[in-house]
Amino acid sequence: MYKHFFKRCLDLILSIIGLILLSPLFIIICIWIKCDSKGPVFFKQKRVGRNKKLFGIYKFRTMYTDTPSEMPTHLLNDPDRFITKAGHFLRKTSLDELPQIINIIKGEMSIIGPRPALWNQEDLIKERDQYGANDLRPGLTGWAQVNGRDELEIDVKAKLDGEYVEKMSFLFDVKCFFKTITSVLKHDGVVEGGTGALKNKGDT
């Protein structure tokens, strides 16, 4: 019942409340982005949604407008040079993700779920198929996000998404939510220009 009805109801109610409460912060961030660099405030990117249906994810723009838009950050050569001054802070604090509240209201995303893959991240999409993780609405945050984020290898990330599929419940979502707050405050797992850094750290 939770998976098929109450989860979506909670997503809708909480995201509308969140959008209203966070509107002053949205305005401040929009002004900062416009003053910091040329270009639009928001950034839209093609991502993989529920049942592998593609949708446009919203973010605050954190990179210069000449950055390749369909390429994962870890594949960019020297990604730091593409990130704006405001962008460094927004990405470090995960504030760039806040516009995805709009995606949640539209029904394209959930508050908790596997993070949506880029349309061309075929390795991650294929791994998630093994666990049924592509059958869910992607999340603003998720179990893999609070257990390593950018530091995780693709297969480990997909396995954690599979664990979420198995354990999904109201209490497990609450656990993910509060672990996300802790992770954001501690900046856990944020590695610009790299994925699988957790494994790499162990190799050095």
Side-chain angles (χ1 to χ4, degrees):
M1 183 66 76
Y2 174 73
K3 176 181 177 180
H4 298 290
F5 179 73
F6 288 114
K7 183 175 174 67
R8 175 59 190 152
C9 289
L10 282 174
D11 282 340
L12 187 58
I13 293 169
L14 293 178
S15 56
I16 291 174
I17 293 173
L19 189 61
I20 294 170
L21 294 179
L22 293 171
S23 57
L25 180 59
F26 269 65
I27 293 172
I28 292 172
I29 293 175
C30 288
I31 294 172
W32 187 15
I33 292 172
K34 292 299 291 184
C35 292
D36 184 54
S37 63
K38 294 180 180 179
V41 168
F42 297 105
F43 174 69
K44 190 176 181 180
Q45 191 177 55
K46 190 161 52 173
R47 296 287 182 117
V48 179
R50 187 181 186 184
N51 298 320
K52 293 191 280 191
K53 181 180 179 180
L54 299 180
F55 72 101
I57 196 173
Y58 299 109
K59 290 188 175 189
F60 283 121
R61 182 177 59 83
T62 60
M63 293 186 167
Y64 295 104
T65 53
D66 60 350
T67 305
S69 62
E70 300 297 340
M71 185 179 292
T73 306
H74 69 276
L75 294 181
L76 292 172
N77 183 23
D78 188 17
D80 277 340
R81 73 183 179 89
F82 292 101
I83 303 174
T84 65
K85 292 179 180 177
H88 278 289
F89 177 81
L90 294 174
R91 292 166 75 94
K92 187 175 182 180
T93 56
S94 296
L95 290 173
D96 62 313
E97 311 284 0
L98 287 181
Q100 287 157 46
I101 292 175
I102 299 170
N103 291 114
I104 297 172
I105 292 173
K106 291 173 65 177
E108 297 165 332
M109 291 179 63
S110 181
I111 295 174
I112 311 294
R115 282 296 296 163
L118 281 166
W119 65 273
N120 55 4
Q121 285 183 294
E122 296 177 0
D123 50 353
L124 178 57
I125 297 167
K126 183 177 180 180
E127 286 286 337
R128 283 178 169 173
D129 268 336
Q130 300 181 53
Y131 304 102
N134 290 319
D135 300 333
L136 303 180
R137 285 190 180 91
L140 179 63
T141 185
W143 188 234
Q145 289 295 103
V146 298
N147 282 283
R149 194 172 173 175
D150 300 329
E151 295 184 336
L152 297 174
E153 290 284 303
I154 294 297
D155 58 335
V156 177
K157 186 179 294 186
K159 187 175 181 179
L160 286 167
D161 289 333
E163 284 186 26
Y164 177 74
V165 173
E166 294 178 359
K167 298 179 180 179
M168 184 171 52
S169 66
F170 173 72
L171 290 179
F172 196 66
D173 277 1
V174 170
K175 181 178 180 179
C176 289
F177 181 81
F178 283 105
K179 281 179 71 68
T180 296
I181 294 175
T182 302
S183 296
V184 169
L185 292 176
K186 294 169 64 178
H187 310 308
D188 285 346
V190 180
V191 182
E192 292 295 357
T195 188
L198 192 62
K199 179 179 179 180
N200 294 335
K201 286 179 182 178
D203 293 340
T204 58

